Amino acid sequence: MGQVPRSAAWLEDQFNIQNERSQTMKRNIAPLNRAGRWLGTGYMRSPNSLFRRLAGNLPGILLWLAVLPLAASGQANYATPYTFITLAGRAGYTGSADGTNSAARFDYPLYTAVDSEGNVYVPDTLNETIRKVTPGGVVTTLAGRVGVAGSADGTNSAAQFHYPNAVAVDSATNLYVADTFNHTIRKVAPVGTNWVVTTLAGLAGYTGSADGTNSAARFNGPDGVAVDSAGSLYVADCTNHTIRKVMPVGTNWVVTTLAGRAGYIGSADGTNSAARFNGPYGLAVDTATNLYVADWYADTIRKVTPVGTNWVVTTLAGLAGVAGSADGTNGAARFGSGLGSLAVDSAGSLYVADWSNHTIRKVTPDGTNWVVTTLAGLAGVAGTTDGTGSAARLNNPNSVALDTAGNLYVADTSNNTIREGFPASSVPPPILQPPSLSASQFGFGITGLPNLAVNIESSTNLSSWVVNGTYILNGGTNYYSVSPNPAQGAQFYRAHVR
């Protein structure tokens, strides 16, 4: 595959540079990317440029700095590969610490939802808490008390959850949580700087399948939740094998069953209670109120379409009871044994966390067909590696959420991390900051995505490069310094995104 345009700094075809003895050095440089722009023009061409003034303080040394891309990795069948980084948490470490990027800790995060500002909300399931991750990877705890299971409504840490499994967020940043072991649907509402938790439907500790209002309704292990533009909720009532609706009516919440029949397992398509599910887990809703369901034990993706007052269930992709990892169309595609959640974009394409395959899949409508491709990860191979397409590694990804820019946010459950994925063609480039010189140290900053790996390299001839060190960006501006050797004469520095 081609190079990913990650850089904002590039060499021109030619440039003339004068060293401090006014000798002319001319370099003919093959263009690396003519679509890029030259960041160093103002630094090097002017006699009073910043680079010239810095070089003047280090006799015989010429300093040059650029950020360059490395080739993207991925296989040809990854038609639209995604580049994944680790946004928060550290693979292999559990805990509950708030913090930034890898300093934060999670314990079995199962779900993700993202708001219009790019904030990610996570039910940190075994910690019994609801967490927030900012676009910069800063993690805070909103509600619940670490390690304390319960059902109490309340504010911030006074509230309690019992295995919070799924979360959805509406346009007002209200969160809706499927509180699985409490068999309830909860709301987490922002009030100033606080978060107030209330129970909307179901009764903690009581299982059942009854439709009804507020606590008169019953659920049995609700695992997925989605919210539409009108504020109605849709719930994958997993152990009942049904799809439910929780609709606001004044100050009440009315629960009805849309599809499936409580206590009956199967994979039959059909209308309303004639349809069958087998452990429906993930749930997404589009702008036309079509529902999309990851049917966990059936290894399929289902669609629940409103037709008048009815709900018609069809199977879009996968073959019931037949697990695998094959890309393909409709029933020729295969998913792993156990599907996580899914998200839907404005074009109707679905993004699926394929739990047991350790991959992220895409299901794209093509006329009346649905085409399944793999975006990231390698089927059957778990790991923690950030990377593009098949070079990325995940470990039981259980949830995927989608922001307005098409970026994905994954609860990488068995790694205890939150991962962020970008279409490989649109990975935001690192940005070079103006260099500085202090005590013979040549310093510069790079602002870029957290957890991107960058090689700092040096050269005396622009053809042979030596790696001075590898650094992991931690978000914000990262500062690095080097000690040029005057005996080597002209020296060049660059930063390679790995």
Side-chain angles (χ1 to χ4, degrees):
M1 297 184 63
Q3 290 185 324
V4 178
R6 295 183 180 179
S7 177
W10 304 93
L11 288 172
E12 289 187 322
D13 293 350
Q14 295 184 7
F15 58 89
N16 292 296
I17 307 167
Q18 290 187 334
N19 65 13
E20 77 172 9
R21 298 189 180 94
S22 299
Q23 297 172 335
T24 300
M25 300 171 60
K26 185 172 183 179
R27 298 282 189 267
N28 292 310
I29 308 297
L32 295 176
N33 189 326
R34 296 300 296 155
R37 66 180 177 87
W38 169 240
L39 186 64
T41 300
Y43 296 158
M44 301 186 69
R45 289 186 180 270
S46 168
N48 294 317
S49 71
L50 180 56
F51 265 92
R52 296 270 293 127
R53 285 185 278 113
L54 291 176
N57 291 321
L58 293 172
I61 296 176
L62 175 67
L63 303 174
W64 170 80
L65 179 65
V67 174
L68 306 176
L70 291 183
S73 58
Q75 298 177 344
N77 62 327
Y78 285 64
T80 311
Y82 271 61
T83 295
F84 270 84
I85 65 168
T86 302
L87 179 62
R90 185 176 178 186
Y93 289 77
T94 62
S96 60
D98 290 340
T100 301
N101 305 129
S102 61
R105 295 290 182 269
F106 298 90
D107 195 354
Y108 215 66
L110 278 176
Y111 225 86
T112 49
V114 60
D115 67 18
S116 60
E117 302 297 322
N119 298 300
V120 182
Y121 301 92
V122 181
D124 196 4
T125 303
L126 295 185
N127 276 327
E128 313 288 1
T129 56
I130 307 300
R131 316 287 291 279
K132 177 181 178 180
V133 186
T134 70
V138 178
V139 179
T140 53
T141 302
L142 305 183
R145 185 175 177 186
V146 174
V148 179
S151 61
D153 290 340
T155 301
N156 304 334
S157 61
Q160 295 175 339
F161 299 91
H162 195 185
Y163 207 85
N165 197 328
V167 64
V169 58
D170 68 16
S171 58
T173 322
N174 295 300
L175 310 181
Y176 301 93
V177 177
D179 199 1
T180 302
F181 287 177
N182 277 326
H183 313 290
T184 54
I185 304 301
R186 316 286 292 279
K187 181 178 181 179
V188 186
V191 179
T193 59
N194 295 312
W195 293 81
V196 179
V197 179
T198 54
T199 302
L200 303 183
L203 186 61
Y206 288 81
T207 63
S209 60
D211 291 340
T213 301
N214 303 334
S215 62
R218 294 289 182 269
F219 298 91
N220 193 358
D223 273 345
V225 63
V227 58
D228 68 18
S229 58
S232 291
L233 310 179
Y234 301 88
V235 177
D237 198 1
C238 184
T239 311
N240 277 328
H241 311 289
T242 55
I243 305 301
R244 316 286 292 278
K245 182 176 182 178
V246 185
M247 184 173 64
V249 179
T251 59
N252 295 312
W253 293 81
V254 178
V255 179
T256 54
T257 302
L258 305 183
R261 186 176 176 186
Y264 287 77
I265 298 172
S267 58
D269 291 339
T271 301
N272 304 334
S273 62
R276 295 288 182 269
F277 296 92
N278 192 355
Y281 182 82
L283 193 67
V285 58
D286 67 18
T287 55
T289 322
N290 297 299
L291 309 181
Y292 301 90
V293 179
D295 205 358
W296 179 278
Y297 294 112
D299 310 317
T300 54
I301 304 300
R302 318 286 294 277
K303 183 177 181 180
V304 187
T305 305
V307 179
T309 59
N310 295 311
W311 294 81
V312 178
V313 179
T314 53
T315 301
L316 304 183
L319 186 62
V322 182
S325 61
D327 290 342
T329 301
N330 304 335
R334 295 291 182 270
F335 297 94
S337 181
L339 281 173
S341 81
L342 71 174
V344 59
D345 67 17
S346 58
S349 293
L350 309 177
Y351 302 82
V352 182
D354 197 349
W355 163 277
S356 58
N357 276 327
H358 313 293
T359 55
I360 304 300
R361 317 288 292 277
K362 184 176 182 180
V363 186
T364 306
D366 182 10
T368 58
N369 295 313
W370 293 80
V371 180
V372 178
T373 53
T374 303
L375 302 182
L378 187 62
V381 181
T384 65
T385 307
D386 291 340
T388 300
S390 62
R393 294 290 181 269
L394 303 106
N395 192 357
N396 297 133
N398 192 66
S399 174
V400 60
L402 179 74
D403 71 14
T404 54
N407 302 314
L408 304 178
Y409 301 87
V410 172
D412 198 6
T413 301
S414 292
N415 277 330
N416 294 300
T417 56
I418 304 302
R419 313 289 290 275
E420 184 173 5
F422 308 85
S425 60
S426 65
V427 174
I431 300 172
L432 290 176
Q433 304 300 323
S436 62
L437 183 67
S438 176
S440 298
Q441 292 284 312
F442 175 57
F444 53 92
I446 303 176
T447 302
L449 293 172
N451 296 299
L452 279 182
V454 175
N455 282 347
I456 305 300
E457 303 175 353
S458 64
S459 174
T460 59
N461 55 19
L462 288 174
S463 60
S464 299
W465 293 89
V466 176
V467 176
N468 298 108
T470 298
Y471 302 91
I472 306 298
L473 301 187
N474 61 11
T477 300
N478 304 257
Y479 294 96
Y480 308 105
S481 62
V482 292
S483 299
N485 183 358
Q488 292 181 344
Q491 293 173 55
F492 303 84
Y493 291 90
R494 71 182 184 184
H496 248 151
V497 178
R498 294 183 62 194

